[in-house]
Amino acid sequence: MRIRDDIQKALKDGFPVVALESTIIAHGMPYPKNYETALALEEAVRKEGAIPATIGIVNGEPVVGLNKDELLEMATRKDVMKVSRRDLAVCVALGRWGATTVSATIIFAEEAGIEVFATGGIGGVHRGAEETFDISRDLLELGNSNITVVSSGVKAILDLPKTVEVLETEGVTVLSYQLPHLADFYSQDSGLPVDYVFENVNEAAKIILARRKLKLKGGILVSNPCPKELALDHKDIDPVIEEALKEAEEKGIHGKASTPFLLGKIVELSKGKSLETNIALAISNASLGAKIAKAIAEQSL
Ligand code: PSU
Ligand code: MN
């Protein structure tokens, strides 16, 4: 595993670092917006006074802290694998490029000693999972880590109530930022109540540190609602999601292809609106992640 020098130094000095994933770049958005977003996410983290560490696999080598050229390759290459735990050894052994999902990013972030990780929206239990058994590895990996993932709740293409149940089974603490309900990606509010709401990052950091002190295995999901200005109304985006799900079913799309297909289809059907929203919420999560990482660093002094 290669860890960029400035990240290594920051971790040694107790300086705040925020992990970022690469599947959102390689498989979650079209070029060139994906590359611009990758840079914007790093910039958002820096602006808050933390160091970004985008994680991915370059020619079979896991990298914590991709450089600009590598981010561009992630954003443009056609042969980048979408990597979760089961794909890791294959990607490394074959010397391939791999974009790490939330689940695989958690593995490397934890190994590097990074505690906070920001993304757009985590994977979860897919609709129809009672038939397909499609439950994202993200939930299990989060449950088995010590990482805090900052996300706009759970992707709206999923079955949210079932996802909440699995998060509970996995022992993941869900903390909602300001809103008493779980965020649902494109819209701000899923209507699903969340037990724990925090008003400022110091409270979140305190909980994260308590969890660390208790040596409790199991991650934390911070649900950060999408910025208001770009949040989409349920009445507009819900039918688009339904249509995308219908097309996926007709085309027999399943497994790891499912989420990239749905996100791409929703961009197309919403005439690009969902992409702008996805970018805005990811940036907002990177920014909140950096604030939380900073608060953790301050409280750890
Ligand atoms: N957030 C986004 N866009 C994305 C993802 C998250 O805004 O594309 C990615 C993450 O890498 C997450 C993955 O782990 O979607 C979920 O894939 P799956 O449902 O196949 O587990
Ligand atoms: Mn899946």
Side-chain angles (χ1 to χ4, degrees):
M1 185 165 84
R2 186 178 94 212
I3 306 180
R4 212 175 56 217
D5 290 347
D6 60 325
I7 296 168
Q8 257 181 45
K9 184 169 186 316
L11 290 168
K12 208 173 114 245
D13 297 344
F15 197 82
V17 177
V18 176
L20 299 165
E21 55 138 324
S22 42
T23 294
I24 187 172
I25 308 168
H27 306 283
M29 292 178 188
Y31 181 78
K33 290 274 182 186
N34 59 350
Y35 177 57
E36 291 162 22
T37 304
L39 299 180
L41 294 175
E42 296 214 335
E43 189 48 41
V45 170
R46 286 191 199 282
K47 210 175 138 202
E48 295 303 332
I51 297 198
T54 307
I55 295 178
I57 300 171
V58 174
N59 293 321
E61 184 184 29
V63 176
V64 175
L66 295 169
N67 63 36
K68 237 175 140 177
D69 292 340
E70 290 163 342
L71 288 175
L72 182 60
E73 285 215 50
M74 269 300 166
T76 49
R77 287 178 80 109
K78 295 286 168 262
D79 60 349
V80 179
M81 289 171 71
K82 178 181 161 191
V83 175
S84 75
R85 183 178 280 267
R86 60 156 199 179
D87 313 289
L88 269 174
V90 178
C91 184
V92 168
L94 300 183
R96 296 271 308 266
W97 278 68
T100 49
T101 60
V102 167
S103 66
T105 304
I106 285 173
I107 296 171
F108 293 116
E110 184 150 42
E111 206 173 307
I114 303 171
E115 263 184 308
V116 179
F117 162 26
T119 184
I122 63 163
V125 182
H126 283 260
R127 300 190 197 178
E130 59 277 26
E131 290 287 325
T132 63
F133 276 47
D134 191 347
I135 300 174
S136 174
R137 182 74 203 161
D138 291 359
L139 299 178
L140 310 177
E141 220 60 70
L142 186 55
N144 196 37
S145 77
N146 294 310
I147 301 275
T148 295
V149 177
V150 183
S151 154
S152 289
V154 174
K155 281 202 273 284
I157 54 174
L158 301 164
D159 185 320
L160 271 68
K162 286 196 183 74
T163 302
V164 168
E165 292 299 337
V166 175
L167 285 167
E168 180 179 346
T169 307
E170 286 297 312
V172 175
T173 303
V174 180
L175 300 178
S176 177
Y177 187 47
Q178 291 171 344
L179 188 79
H181 299 143
L182 187 70
D184 58 354
F185 205 56
Y186 303 124
S187 320
Q188 286 198 307
D189 189 342
S190 68
L192 281 173
V194 175
D195 289 335
Y196 307 112
V197 182
F198 67 99
E199 293 300 330
N200 63 63
V201 292
N202 290 326
E203 283 174 54
K206 212 169 151 189
I207 296 165
I208 292 164
L209 286 172
R211 186 135 194 165
R212 191 206 279 172
K213 254 196 208 146
L214 288 164
K215 294 195 170 63
L216 274 183
K217 195 86 182 160
I220 293 177
L221 174 66
V222 168
S223 170
N224 180 31
C226 170
K228 229 193 191 108
E229 316 78 64
L230 280 150
L232 301 175
D233 279 344
H234 279 289
K235 68 169 177 24
D236 298 323
I237 195 66
D238 289 359
V240 169
I241 293 170
E242 293 296 337
E243 174 63 24
L245 286 163
K246 206 178 103 207
E247 282 197 38
E249 174 143 14
E250 280 163 12
K251 291 201 162 88
I253 311 271
H254 66 274
K256 70 198 282 184
S258 179
T259 297
F261 174 86
L262 291 169
L263 294 178
K265 194 38 95 183
I266 292 167
V267 172
E268 187 189 311
L269 294 171
S270 71
K271 302 190 177 62
K273 269 197 182 152
S274 70
L275 182 57
E276 294 312 317
T277 302
N278 196 350
I279 293 168
L281 65 85
I283 291 173
S284 155
N285 294 336
S287 186
L288 182 63
K291 287 181 195 154
I292 292 173
K294 234 176 116 182
I296 294 174
E298 281 164 16
Q299 287 181 33
S300 307
L301 287 177

